[in-house]
Amino acid sequence: MDNEKQTFWRSYLSGLQLSVAVAAYTKVPLTWRDDDYVPDINKLYFIEDGEGYVAVGDDRYYPKPGSLCLLPAERRQSYGTTGEQTFSKYWCHFTAKLGGLHLFHALEVPVVVRIDDPPRLKAMFDRLIAAHQSPDWTAGMLEQAALLEILAAFLEQSRPVAAVASPEGAIQKMTSVLAYIEAHLADNLTVEELAALLHFHPNYFSRVFKRTTGLSPIQYVNRKRMDKARHQLAFTGMSVSAIALSLGMEPTYFSRMFKEHTGLAPSEYRESFA
């Protein structure tokens, strides 16, 4: 993936919407089998031990211990046992969408990858399962963080990754806009100003932008501002007021927006890194 596409995907993935349906560890029974069905969710299997098979479309795989398998949503698939020593596996069912598009319809990735550091991935799944089972009010955040870490590990092991869906066209239209936003977070950016970069009508631009990123232009700008603010609070000594002004925001309004996005006041967020 060239530098232009990497820049686009880095910004595009900031709009990723995740939802975990179930996460667990299982020693599958001999009856573990299903053939030629089409699920509406993605499935991750991290094989710790045993043997069996998974299939996507007409391709069948026999993952070994230490393998991470991704079975994408809305694809014909099968799975089953092949002997007495059945899979012991960590697993997760989840959705991952970008502006209504399944993530793994937009990216071409392998079904099975070998993991370089299985104990590290096991620890990620342990965190995911613990968060999924926890009643704590912060558990949803921890659950998403753990799943994001697992998906990042999967994509790292899947290199090179190819884009296969509409983002190719969106790259040409939106890369310059996303770069402009990054460079002008301190400015009073408007939809009209951003639309003018592509010579689009503002209403049409807003539709294309949301279809591409999953967010409206203003939502995207505010998210990038809060991302930068979190980094500055964690890694610099800038005051809250100075950070707000560096983002072109009045300090009181900035503090209110930051708490809406993170659940913490800026000072509380900084203290969590102390």
Side-chain angles (χ1 to χ4, degrees):
M1 194 178 289
D2 61 33
N3 290 337
E4 182 182 22
K5 291 179 182 177
Q6 289 195 46
T7 298
F8 173 81
W9 277 98
R10 182 168 181 168
S11 294
Y12 189 43
L13 287 171
S14 69
L16 182 62
Q17 298 171 311
L18 294 174
S19 177
V20 177
V22 62
Y25 178 85
T26 302
K27 171 68 171 177
V28 306
L30 285 169
T31 55
W32 184 72
R33 181 180 299 275
D34 206 345
D35 291 309
D36 292 329
Y37 72 105
V38 181
D40 60 1
I41 56 175
N42 307 291
K43 296 186 293 183
L44 279 170
Y45 297 159
F46 176 47
I47 309 302
E48 186 176 50
D49 196 13
E51 59 184 17
Y53 72 89
V54 297
V56 175
D58 295 325
D59 298 318
R60 181 172 289 206
Y61 306 87
Y62 297 88
K64 303 297 184 183
S67 298
L68 182 60
C69 313
L70 175 82
L71 282 69
E74 299 181 0
R75 295 285 191 265
R76 178 171 58 86
Q77 54 194 250
S78 304
Y79 61 79
T81 58
T82 56
E84 296 292 326
Q85 299 301 315
T86 63
F87 282 147
S88 296
K89 64 183 178 71
Y90 291 86
W91 57 282
C92 171
H93 292 182
F94 68 101
T95 58
K97 293 188 175 182
L98 288 164
L101 176 70
H102 284 292
L103 173 63
F104 297 107
H105 291 188
L107 290 175
E108 184 177 290
V109 295
V111 173
V112 179
V113 298
R114 291 286 295 174
I115 296 300
D116 290 338
D117 190 350
R120 177 170 171 264
L121 190 65
K122 179 179 179 294
M124 294 179 195
F125 269 98
D126 285 336
R127 289 196 295 273
L128 174 63
I129 294 168
H132 185 68
Q133 297 174 345
S134 171
D136 292 346
W137 68 279
T138 58
M141 299 169 65
L142 295 172
E143 180 182 71
Q144 293 217 355
L147 179 56
L148 278 170
E149 193 173 11
I150 292 168
L151 292 176
F154 175 82
L155 292 173
E156 286 291 331
Q157 296 287 155
S158 301
R159 290 185 175 182
V161 174
V164 297
S166 59
E168 287 295 330
I171 288 171
Q172 298 175 4
K173 295 183 177 69
M174 289 296 168
T175 297
S176 61
V177 175
L178 298 180
Y180 184 87
I181 290 171
E182 291 279 358
H184 294 84
L185 288 175
D187 297 345
N188 181 28
L189 295 170
T190 65
V191 173
E192 289 75 15
E193 177 183 356
L194 297 175
L197 297 173
L198 300 181
H199 308 289
F200 284 178
H201 186 280
N203 291 342
Y204 177 71
F205 171 80
S206 294
R207 291 196 299 272
V208 172
F209 191 95
K210 187 166 187 177
R211 189 164 61 244
T212 302
T213 66
L215 300 169
S216 73
I218 299 306
Q219 288 173 329
Y220 181 88
V221 169
N222 286 335
R223 172 176 287 188
K224 299 305 289 187
R225 284 172 172 159
M226 295 305 101
D227 287 348
K228 186 172 182 179
R230 284 196 294 268
H231 183 271
Q232 290 173 324
L233 287 165
F235 300 109
T236 78
M238 294 174 66
S239 68
V240 172
S241 294
I243 291 172
L245 293 174
S246 76
L247 297 172
M249 304 174 73
E250 191 274 328
T252 301
Y253 177 67
F254 163 76
S255 295
R256 185 167 67 248
M257 179 179 289
F258 189 88
K259 190 166 187 178
E260 288 175 357
H261 277 75
T262 67
L264 297 172
S267 58
E268 293 172 327
Y269 185 87
R270 172 166 274 163
E271 288 171 3
S272 70
F273 286 87

